[in-house]
Amino acid sequence: MPNPVILTGDRTTGPLHIGHYAGSLRNRIRLQETHEQYLLLADTQALTDNASDVAKVRDAVLEVALDYLAVGIDPAKSTICLQSHLPALAELSMLYLNFVTVARLERNPTIKDEIRARGFGRDIPAGFLCYPAAQAADITAFRAGLVPVGADQAPLIEQTNEIVRRINAACGRPVLVEAEALIPEAGRLPGVDGRAKMSKSGGNAIRLSASADEISAAVRRMFTDPGHLRAEDPGRVEGNVVFDYLDAFEEDRAEVEALKARYRAGGLGDSVIKRRLEDILQALLAPIRARRAELARERGYVLDVLRAGTHKAQAVTRDTRNEVVTGLGLFRLCAPEMVAKEANPDAGGKDLFTHA
Ligand code: TRP
């Protein structure tokens, strides 16, 4: 059996931070060596909770693409593609929505949590409520067998597989493949202030593009143990953000354990562990920042990468859409591959964006 196809992605709402690096980017850099991997710049999904700020969603596309390339996503090994330019995903979403109920969408734990966190109340954008079906379209359109996501996204994969089984039942044969979530062992990296979620909007993140001074400032204000007032006092390691970050970024595991033991016993000051962490983060981010700045000056190259990746993704996703349309047995006025051409005769059978 060949390795399964991988699909994962990010909502484009702003530049990525070191939480993304620890939780997913460095994993993707590894996986691209062994797997066919697609990375989706999920701009239409970003709209589901950012419709009032389309400019933010648009501008973040290039920011996230720069982050990918700067950390070492290799476009020769991973396919980077733009969701809004893959019409087959929208078409599959519409079909899938007929195979889920509103009640089931409302019961999805990810959706429930996010509705609460965003304070939507009853004013939930319909696109937001339905995004599990759209994400199922993303995953199945690429025939992904493996989907690396954070633990919070696991219910979306479960719901994807429910849709897969329903579509396959309706087709009378396995047109779609079920997917498995690949969840990182280490939990989510907390924000520098100690809040559970590091977020672009929360002001508690260290961006991959952070300057050396920004990194220093973030480490300086990092939450430790508020009860650890003097170096001689015993300190707490649990809930201490510096140690969470050392766990994530210090390769010398034995060294981290030794530091923890000394900190717990008393005699190790916050300034020492912060110094240590700062050195590690500066060394990690300096080459990423330099490469990112270089790429930002080569906008044409970055756009070429996105065009090529999106073009390839259009073909793959269109094939799956055709198989689903055929499999379901909808009335066929013309061959499924003609549907897009019919809708867009000017494009002469090519996809619109290639003419933009
Ligand atoms: N929902 C994911 C996130 O918020 C982004 C995403 C969109 C995604 N489509 C996907 C992830 C498909 C995995 C597979 O991070």
Side-chain angles (χ1 to χ4, degrees):
M1 277 278 278
N3 280 332
V5 173
I6 289 180
L7 170 80
T8 187
D10 296 282
R11 291 184 185 184
T12 58
T13 55
L16 303 183
H17 52 62
I18 61 170
H20 295 110
Y21 184 81
S24 66
L25 294 173
R26 64 182 168 187
N27 209 17
R28 298 177 192 176
I29 297 164
R30 250 196 323 270
L31 290 167
Q32 70 182 350
E33 300 299 332
T34 47
H35 291 65
E36 167 149 37
Q37 176 168 256
Y38 292 90
L39 303 179
L40 188 64
L41 295 166
D43 58 343
T44 45
Q45 188 179 110
L47 278 184
T48 63
D49 61 340
N50 289 281
S52 62
D53 200 351
V54 180
K56 175 176 84 177
V57 171
R58 180 228 303 135
D59 295 344
V61 168
L62 271 185
E63 298 290 339
V64 176
L66 285 172
D67 288 327
Y68 284 177
L69 297 172
V71 297
I73 298 292
D74 178 351
K77 296 174 180 162
S78 298
T79 303
I80 305 174
C81 52
L82 183 58
Q83 190 177 36
S84 59
H85 287 48
L86 300 173
L89 299 183
E91 294 171 52
L92 284 172
S93 300
M94 288 307 286
L95 291 170
Y96 293 179
L97 279 170
N98 303 302
F99 293 82
V100 289
T101 64
V102 172
R104 175 64 179 92
L105 289 163
E106 284 174 340
R107 265 201 315 275
N108 184 309
T110 307
I111 295 295
K112 261 167 99 168
D113 288 351
E114 290 183 331
I115 285 172
R116 207 175 308 122
R118 286 165 179 68
F120 282 143
R122 279 296 299 154
D123 295 321
I124 306 164
F128 187 86
L129 181 65
C130 297
Y131 97 75
Q135 192 154 321
D138 300 342
I139 293 167
T140 55
F142 288 93
R143 302 186 189 94
L146 208 52
V147 186
V149 282
D152 60 309
Q153 298 267 302
L156 293 169
I157 313 301
E158 207 174 298
Q159 190 161 13
T160 293
N161 289 334
E162 268 175 47
I163 293 173
V164 166
R165 290 191 287 272
R166 289 197 175 163
I167 294 283
N168 286 345
C171 293
R173 60 191 168 85
V175 169
L176 300 176
V177 292
E178 290 194 35
E180 198 186 313
L182 182 64
I183 294 169
E185 271 168 46
R188 186 201 279 274
L189 207 60
V192 299
D193 56 0
R195 270 184 296 156
K197 190 171 177 190
M198 183 186 297
S199 74
K200 305 158 211 170
S201 54
N204 63 353
I206 300 176
R207 292 178 173 191
L208 292 170
S209 52
S211 68
D213 285 347
E214 286 168 336
I215 297 166
S216 302
V219 174
R220 228 177 300 122
R221 76 180 179 95
M222 204 167 269
F223 183 84
T224 59
D225 170 7
H228 186 238
L229 298 176
R230 293 171 309 165
E232 311 84 82
D233 296 337
R236 273 178 62 86
V237 163
E238 290 70 31
N240 185 319
V241 177
V242 178
F243 281 106
D244 289 333
Y245 283 35
L246 286 171
D247 277 335
F249 296 109
E250 168 62 275
E251 279 158 28
D252 188 345
R253 305 298 323 144
E255 177 66 19
V256 179
E257 291 314 314
L259 285 172
K260 284 182 181 174
R262 277 177 60 201
Y263 193 83
R264 285 197 178 103
L268 186 59
D270 281 2
S271 61
V272 178
I273 54 168
K274 284 189 169 181
R275 174 89 248 162
R276 176 89 188 199
L277 176 64
E278 184 182 344
D279 290 346
I280 293 168
L281 292 180
Q282 296 287 10
L284 172 72
L285 295 177
I288 294 174
R289 180 168 61 239
R291 174 110 183 90
R292 200 180 187 285
E294 202 177 294
L295 286 159
R297 288 191 293 271
E298 294 177 48
R299 198 183 147 94
Y301 163 75
V302 179
L303 292 178
D304 282 346
V305 166
L306 297 190
R307 283 203 192 92
T310 304
H311 197 57
K312 178 176 168 193
Q314 283 181 335
V316 174
T317 57
R318 206 193 300 119
D319 282 351
T320 306
R321 184 268 264 140
N322 291 345
E323 281 171 26
V324 173
V325 168
T326 307
L328 287 173
L330 289 168
F331 187 88
R332 279 173 61 171
L333 198 52
C334 52
E337 62 273 16
M338 290 292 292
V339 176
K341 293 184 206 176
E342 290 294 306
N344 176 28
D346 290 345
K350 288 198 178 160
D351 290 292
L352 236 199
F353 94 105
T354 57
H355 293 256

